[in-house]
Amino acid sequence: MVLNTAYVNGHFFTMDESSRQYKSGMMVVSGDAISYIGDHSVQRLAAADRVVDLGGKWVMPGLVNVHSHIVMTILRGIGDDMLLKPWLETKIWPMEARFTPEIASVSTRLGILEMLKSGTTTFSDMFNPNGIDLGGIMQEIADTGIRGAFSHTIFSLGTERQQRDNIASAERFAKQFRTFADGRLTTMVAPHSPYACTPAALEESARVAAENGLMVHIHVSETDLEIRDIESRYGVRPVEHLRRLGVLDQPTVMAHGVVLNEEERAILHQYDVRVAHNPISNLKLGSGVADVAALLEAGVKVGIATDSTASNNNLDMFEEMRTAALLQKGIYKDASKLPAETVLALATRVGAEVIGMGHTGSLEAGKKADFITIDPSDKPHLQPLEQAFSHLLYAASGRDVCDVYVGGAAVVRDGSCLTIDEEKILAEANRLQAELQ
């Protein structure tokens, strides 16, 4: 039997294409989906099996983090103040190679705990298993209640046989978990990058994606050094390199896209390549600032992302989208660039479309009931209430989130996570990171 729950007395920010708001509205959730969103309806209230009085809370779609590395969460604060290449080669990859199943499990749950408590309900991620059972990690993710895509990273490392085994393992994982946890979780094909994968590995990645109806998730055009490296190896820039290998023929999410020219943006639009914008990570690693305004003007879909805590150092999407907005205003010296309405959409509805999950990301009838609440009543930084839409971008933070629902089920209530033992995870994370040092 499907239960109908009516949420009343809330200020609803739909983040639909019209950015509609209902200041004293009502939302009805039937099972795991929204069946009604709009003005208060006495008739719908009478038909509800359960009524939740929100007491004036703000309600918005759960945030969508389109590029993260949750298994790296335990590496927060390690390798600060380094450029990308030495950071990866001397800190991150060597430490990841030392991960045990316990470290990977605890790090994953720590990352999801932070995401959920700060309002992220959907994410897209990749990790190189290094002998760790990713099936177990996928089950850990499922148990938390979050929605998203988790992918097996493809690398061209070691012998040719090791490379073939890596791709075969990634393909098996992609097939097995393409639809998992009643469809709440999926996977993508995730070649790490043009510089960490041979042309053959990239072609194989495109094959796996095509044969299994999966998206490609890949780091591309992150630094000037990467551009020079790929040009020296193959005679073309990374985007053209991927185009020639057939990767862009598949639905593709490009993480970063910091160093792009006008011709490349046109190619991305032509092939419907979506970009995961990681403003804080790109700043911290000294990679630069992606020209999001130019990408949007070229018709490229862009989502907001945190990258990993090792290069951020948090998973707060409110902080991420505020940084994204301010950077574009600053580099253009134009305060009209990336207004609040646009950026909030990139972090919700558009972000969901970027990763192929258009069934979430906005409060609309027929979409999954993934939403969060914020209580502004005792928070001076969220006053005056009349400017609530502005406050969501320019004043709010993940610490303001009260309740989080995924598919109509509460996963955070009054700031406490219901699906993860918070005290246990914090203790285990500190113990295990000390062992890694």
Side-chain angles (χ1 to χ4, degrees), residues 207-278:
R207 176 193 63 77
V208 173
E211 292 181 0
N212 295 281
L214 296 169
M215 297 189 75
V216 173
H217 186 179
I218 181 172
H219 305 87
V220 186
S221 299
E222 189 171 356
T223 66
D224 292 321
L225 178 60
E226 176 190 338
I227 304 299
R228 294 194 298 270
D229 179 28
I230 299 304
E231 283 184 318
S232 68
R233 290 197 221 178
Y234 308 113
V236 293
R237 289 163 65 96
V239 170
E240 176 62 16
H241 180 56
L242 295 177
R243 189 192 70 79
R244 292 183 181 185
L245 294 172
V247 174
L248 304 189
D249 291 330
Q250 312 311 317
T252 299
V253 180
M254 169 198 289
H256 302 296
V258 174
V259 189
L260 295 170
N261 58 33
E262 185 176 352
E263 179 183 357
E264 288 169 321
R265 288 190 287 270
I267 291 173
L268 300 187
H269 173 62
Q270 177 186 353
Y271 285 83
D272 191 26
V273 175
R274 301 89 186 269
V275 173
H277 177 44
N278 303 263

Side-chain angles (χ1 to χ4, degrees), residues 8 10 45 55 83-84 96 198 219 249 272 291 337 347 367 381 391:
V8 301
L45 183 65
L83 292 172
L84 177 65
E96 282 185 333
T198 63
H219 305 87
D249 291 330
D272 191 26
D291 193 338
K337 295 294 184 183
K367 290 204 173 183
H381 64 286
H391 302 338

Side-chain angles (χ1 to χ4, degrees), residues 278-294:
N278 303 263
I280 296 177
S281 176
N282 294 152
L283 287 172
K284 189 187 177 199
L285 291 169
S287 301
V289 179
D291 193 338
V292 175

Side-chain angles (χ1 to χ4, degrees), residues 3 16-17 78 122 215 269 272 294 331 377 402:
L3 295 179
D16 63 9
E17 291 192 8
I78 290 175
T122 303
M215 297 189 75
H269 173 62
D272 191 26
I331 63 174
S377 61
C402 297

Side-chain angles (χ1 to χ4, degrees), residues 281-350:
S281 176
N282 294 152
L283 287 172
K284 189 187 177 199
L285 291 169
S287 301
V289 179
D291 193 338
V292 175
L295 283 165
L296 296 177
E297 288 168 8
V300 178
K301 283 186 177 179
V302 178
I304 306 294
T306 62
D307 211 346
S308 79
T309 61
S311 62
N312 188 302
N313 290 34
N314 65 54
L315 299 172
D316 186 343
M317 282 285 289
F318 284 95
E319 182 177 339
E320 207 71 43
M321 57 183 172
R322 179 163 53 252
T323 303
L326 297 178
L327 276 173
Q328 298 301 302
K329 297 174 189 300
I331 63 174
Y332 274 94
K333 298 182 180 179
D334 181 351
S336 69
K337 295 294 184 183
L338 262 65
E341 181 178 312
T342 297
V343 180
L344 285 164
L346 300 187
T348 52
R349 174 177 51 82
V350 178

Side-chain angles (χ1 to χ4, degrees), residues 137-152:
I137 296 296
M138 199 66 151
Q139 186 60 58
E140 297 266 11
I141 296 170
D143 292 343
T144 69
I146 201 167
R147 187 183 307 283
F150 183 73
S151 306
H152 180 310

Side-chain angles (χ1 to χ4, degrees), residues 83-101:
L83 292 172
L84 177 65
K85 190 173 187 293
W87 176 76
L88 286 172
E89 294 178 349
T90 68
K91 293 290 185 179
I92 301 305
W93 289 344
M95 295 197 79
E96 282 185 333
R98 293 165 51 198
F99 274 25
T100 63

